[in-house]
Amino acid sequence: MSDLPLLGSHLPMSAPGYFAIACELAKTLGEDTFMFYTGAPQNSVRADIAKMRIEEGMKILDAVGISPSSLVIHAPYIVNPASRRKEENFQFAIAFLKQELARANAFGVKNIVVHPGSHLGDGEDYALDCLADAIDAILEGDQTDVAICLETMAGKGKEVGTSFDFYASLFPRLSRPERVGLCLDTCHLNDAGYDLTHFDEVLAELDFKIGLQKVKVVHLNDSKFERGSHKDRHENIGYGTIGFDVLSKIYRNPNLKGVPFVLETPWIDDVMPYQQEIEMLRSGVYVPSWRESL
Ligand code: FE
Ligand code: FE
Ligand code: ZN
């Protein structure tokens, strides 16, 4: 085993193979960890957990030495815990995310990535109140040790969670802050305006305002757009405005050693780019035009 952090990618998990197929894929691609949605990312329809072939998947993981506790679940991005404009939607987000914690627990997964949501025009301050209430309600009475990892967002539309200041205001309002962490997304940080060429300074700001121990997951993506663009369009490693050298350095940052790194880069037609991206990131050596050989 190398000294580098665990590295994997977002992998599909759908019927009929579910978790067993995702695990098989992780094995084939040489991943140390991976992230999955418990159903379609864009909706909240979820199959019964008993159908998800968890035990079969666990055997595969065991054989390749991947611990389920290092895996990451991503909650669907349609739930919006940052707005109370429609009370029924707000309550749905709470109920859904409560179930998602239970599902993560059944997989032995310790970290769920959640998008903080959109203020829908009501402003960041009100969104902060809503989000704090939602998280308190989700965690009330919860007996698991699954962490809710709020993702740093690009600022597309009326998205909240685009700055460390936002999260620095959120944590002190929570009843159970120890159950809440952060997921840093490099594409989103870039698009939100953070200068990743000075990543040590970015981490120092995060450490000062929130605490580095809150970082539980990193999404390692290049970006199609310039810093500060607020676009949120992921690009393959080395093909975007962040570039391989900066992303490779982030992957090697000693302050993020214990955190799983997950690629969410686009497929090339219907081919997954992850094996090539993982090899380059592990070796630290970029292969120019690598996409052309896929
Ligand atoms: Fe995300
Ligand atoms: Fe992400
Ligand atoms: Zn994104």
Side-chain angles (χ1 to χ4, degrees):
M1 267 317 240
S2 79
D3 207 25
L4 290 165
L6 301 178
L7 178 61
S9 72
H10 166 218
L11 292 176
M13 195 193 77
S14 52
Y18 290 112
F19 190 58
I21 297 298
C23 294
E24 196 61 50
L25 213 46
K27 177 182 161 185
T28 306
L29 297 171
E31 305 197 351
D32 316 305
T33 182
F34 64 92
M35 181 177 80
F36 60 102
Y37 289 75
T38 59
Q42 68 279 10
N43 70 41
S44 56
V45 180
R46 293 295 179 260
D48 189 331
I49 195 121
K51 289 185 183 159
M52 291 188 187
R53 298 172 67 179
I54 297 182
E55 268 174 54
E56 244 180 293
M58 290 303 170
K59 282 185 191 140
I60 299 166
L61 293 186
D62 197 49
V64 291
I66 297 177
S67 163
S69 63
S70 77
L71 304 183
V72 179
I73 284 177
H74 199 309
Y77 39 75
I78 43 129
V79 294
N80 185 7
S83 173
R84 219 161 174 157
R85 223 174 237 219
K86 287 207 174 121
E87 186 62 21
E88 71 215 77
N89 293 356
F90 183 69
Q91 294 303 333
F92 177 81
I94 291 167
F96 183 87
L97 291 170
K98 252 183 187 297
Q99 290 168 13
E100 196 79 332
L101 283 176
R103 272 189 289 266
N105 199 45
F107 280 95
V109 170
K110 299 293 174 209
N111 292 301
I112 297 184
V113 174
V114 174
H115 289 187
S118 162
H119 66 71
L120 300 178
D122 296 327
E124 277 216 341
D125 285 341
Y126 185 58
L128 206 53
D129 290 339
C130 297
L131 186 59
D133 287 350
I135 292 172
D136 280 356
I138 293 160
L139 292 175
E140 198 188 304
D142 184 89
Q143 306 279 352
T144 72
D145 60 351
V146 180
I148 295 174
C149 305
L150 297 165
E151 186 162 352
T152 58
M153 303 309 289
K156 196 175 57 180
K158 296 182 170 64
E159 256 172 11
V160 297
T162 61
S163 69
F164 299 148
D165 294 302
F166 179 86
Y167 287 122
S169 313
L170 179 72
F171 282 106
R173 300 194 190 196
L174 302 174
S175 305
R176 302 179 74 184
E178 73 284 358
R179 291 284 306 276
V180 184
L182 286 182
C183 167
L184 301 183
D185 185 309
T186 55
C187 168
H188 299 175
L189 286 172
N190 173 78
D191 291 13
Y194 287 95
D195 182 359
L196 300 183
T197 63
H198 293 95
F199 190 64
D200 277 320
E201 286 165 35
V202 173
L203 280 191
E205 182 190 336
L206 192 160
D207 193 33
F208 178 71
K209 290 178 173 166
I210 301 167
L212 268 180
Q213 78 286 353
K214 283 293 184 197
V215 180
K216 307 290 184 198
V217 180
V218 174
H219 286 166
L220 198 64
N221 304 307
D222 216 326
S223 171
K224 280 197 204 302
F225 288 91
E226 296 304 316
R227 179 155 78 88
S229 64
H230 304 296
K231 292 277 195 189
D232 190 4
R233 295 282 308 282
H234 301 189
E235 181 54 285
N236 291 111
I237 303 297
Y239 278 80
T241 61
I242 303 172
F244 179 79
D245 290 345
V246 169
L247 292 165
S248 173
K249 266 193 199 156
I250 292 173
Y251 179 52
R252 286 170 168 71
N253 192 293
N255 289 311
L256 298 174
K257 232 175 195 158
V259 174
F261 278 65
V262 177
L263 299 161
E264 300 175 297
T265 49
W267 293 21
I268 318 301
D269 297 318
D270 47 11
V271 181
M272 291 187 193
Y274 308 130
Q275 196 167 5
Q276 284 75 8
E277 291 178 321
I278 286 170
E279 273 173 25
M280 293 187 299
L281 286 161
R282 279 190 188 138
S283 68
V285 179
Y286 189 63
V287 179
S289 314
W290 62 269
R291 245 171 21 182
E292 280 156 38
S293 63
L294 278 186

